[in-house]
Amino acid sequence: QVQLVESGGGLVQAGGSLRLSCTASGRIFSNSAVSWYRQAPGRQREPVATIGSGGNTNYADSVKGRFNIYRDNAKNTVYLQMNSLNPDETGVYYCKLSWSLTWGQGTQVTVSS
């Protein structure tokens, strides 16, 4: 079993930046694609960015050019660098392995206007 822990959220003003971290237990992390999701208040959880086991990345159109997903397999960690944040990007951010239906506890991001 793999367990994921998200951290790095907080309160930031519009235009500010945050770096989120997703740290996994287990030995299969390096061979897994990992995605970051956001659940805004009253909305469904939606994908923000994905990184494959080979380092390939995909981003939601709304965050392209502003967000960067990268991984450090030695630390079993995937990061999401978020720049130029908008208030509508407020929400709880979760990471998940591509094959898993299990979520971590999430980390709250609040962007004030």
Side-chain angles (χ1 to χ4, degrees), residues 27-88:
R27 290 164 44 182
I28 63 172
F29 184 80
S30 63
N31 288 331
S32 300
V34 180
S35 293
W36 281 98
Y37 289 74
R38 174 178 60 240
Q39 188 160 25
R43 299 187 62 186
Q44 291 186 313
R45 200 168 299 180
E46 60 186 15
V48 176
T50 298
I51 186 165
S53 59
N56 53 299
T57 59
N58 286 293
Y59 299 92
D61 287 343
S62 62
V63 309
K64 287 180 179 177
R66 296 187 296 114
F67 289 14
N68 185 41
I69 185 171
Y70 59 102
R71 66 196 302 162
D72 185 342
N73 288 335
K75 296 181 178 180
N76 279 357
T77 299
V78 167
Y79 303 93
L80 183 67
Q81 177 67 47
M82 306 187 295
N83 301 315
S84 301
L85 283 161
N86 306 133
D88 64 359

Side-chain angles (χ1 to χ4, degrees), residues 45 96-103:
R45 200 168 299 180
K96 189 179 75 69
L97 303 187
S98 63
W99 50 265
S100 177
L101 298 177
T102 301
W103 303 91

